[in-house]
Amino acid sequence: MTRPINFGAGPSALPESVLKEAANGLLDFEGTGIGIAEISHRSKQFTAFVKKTETLIRTQLNVPSTHEILFTQGGGTGQFSAVVYNFLARHRLLHPDDGEPVLDYVVTGSWSKKASEEARRLVGGSRVHIAGDGRREGKTFTRIPGHSEYSFSPNAALIYYCENETVDGVQFSHDPSAPASFPFDRLPTTAALLPLVADYSSSFMSRPIPRLADHALIFAGAQKNIGPAGLTILIVRQDCLVDVDAAAALGAPPVPISMAYNVIADAASLYNTPSVLALYISGLVLDRSLNLGGVQYYEQLNRRKADKVYAALRDGEARAIFRPKVEHGSRSWMNVVFDVLGDGAEARFIAGAEQLNMKALKGHRSVGGIRVSLYNAITEEQTDRLVAYIRQFT
Ligand code: PMP
């Protein structure tokens, strides 16, 4: 059976070779005779696997020794809450007299908006400062703001952004000279170690991370480029692994134990039972990725894939059939979003694609249109098939 091409935004396609390997692992994990969903997370085979997976991330992203790599659960949404708690605790220890610090959010799409709303829920709206907003006249998210449009607070407890907006198809450029790059030059210079937090859920491992060492925390749910849902990956700078109970004693909100970064780190990501199966499959994906050439390999591949799709859309725009939703320069490599113009044309586009075994092209229910997700597991050949379809669609 030929498997359909799954352009879904997450959970999303995984390499077929990994799925086959994982099927064997479900019956027998690394020769133990026990399946991966059955083996103790404290067995020496599994703890070694966790260490190896950590190293696979460290090596491929060139993560410096100042940062720990942690595994947890709760997804991106769990981190929307966790970042608030952990960074309030850190801020309280650093600035015991600054009782009500501000939290800075850059809002460039639905996910960073949601994260800022969770912060509002937890600390109150008056303390959440929107430091940048991609919407023009408060409308939809179609771009990354220009560098001059940001206003960061001088002593925020955290500075938050989402590198790739999965729903809106808006992504920061990784070329530092591009107008849509993250405005590192605009960040306050008062603190040596800035509390810079980035949601990399839908672009993690798809290309190198610019200025990784300058981040306090990078987090990503696994279910796009890495593996099944259920695993959340954290890259945390060591000064953010603070004693959350000492902070609570000074008046910071107590941090739920499963969310406390210091607790997760002290237990080497095994404070409680991790998402064993998701971690296993993610480890296999990361091993395969290393063998292919790591994020440098994926950067080249993903650039070519995105270029081909956007080029086909550009021609379709000239034919008045397609309209990309995002402005030039801010377009995502991972989630390409566009409208199909004309009465009933969108439904026809999706039905025609289904007939060719290309699935999950419908845009997110909140924004409509078409969304093509081009995560690492989507091959260039599969992309070419979609591009051929886009080019002949009338
Ligand atoms: N951030 C981004 C960029 C996402 O794409 C998603 C999910 N699609 C989330 C956060 C939320 O993740 P989860 O569903 O794992 O909570």
Side-chain angles (χ1 to χ4, degrees), residues 142-210:
T142 55
R143 65 174 192 128
I144 297 292
H147 283 206
S148 63
E149 295 174 56
Y150 293 89
S151 67
F152 292 104
S153 309
N155 193 24
L158 70 80
I159 304 167
Y160 184 103
Y161 73 101
C162 175
E163 202 269 341
N164 180 62
E165 286 285 357
T166 323
V167 170
D168 309 274
V170 172
Q171 185 171 24
F172 283 90
S173 171
H174 63 164
D175 168 2
S177 62
S181 61
F182 187 79
F184 290 98
D185 57 324
R186 296 296 311 276
L187 294 173
T189 49
T190 39
L193 294 171
L194 283 175
L196 182 62
V197 171
D199 175 359
Y200 262 80
S201 289
S202 49
S203 53
F204 195 65
M205 302 305 289
S206 68
R207 60 190 193 188
I209 296 181

Side-chain angles (χ1 to χ4, degrees), residues 9-11 74-80 111-112 114 160 162-167 199-203 219-224 229-232 335 364 371 375:
T77 308
Q79 289 309 304
F80 295 170
W111 289 113
S112 45
K114 273 204 158 159
Y160 184 103
C162 175
E163 202 269 341
N164 180 62
E165 286 285 357
T166 323
V167 170
D199 175 359
Y200 262 80
S201 289
S202 49
S203 53
F219 70 84
Q223 69 268 28
K224 280 87 163 71
L231 170 70
T232 315
N335 311 99
H364 191 270
R371 170 170 55 178
Y375 298 131

Side-chain angles (χ1 to χ4, degrees), residues 34 109 136 158 213 312:
I34 298 174
R136 288 197 197 278
L158 70 80

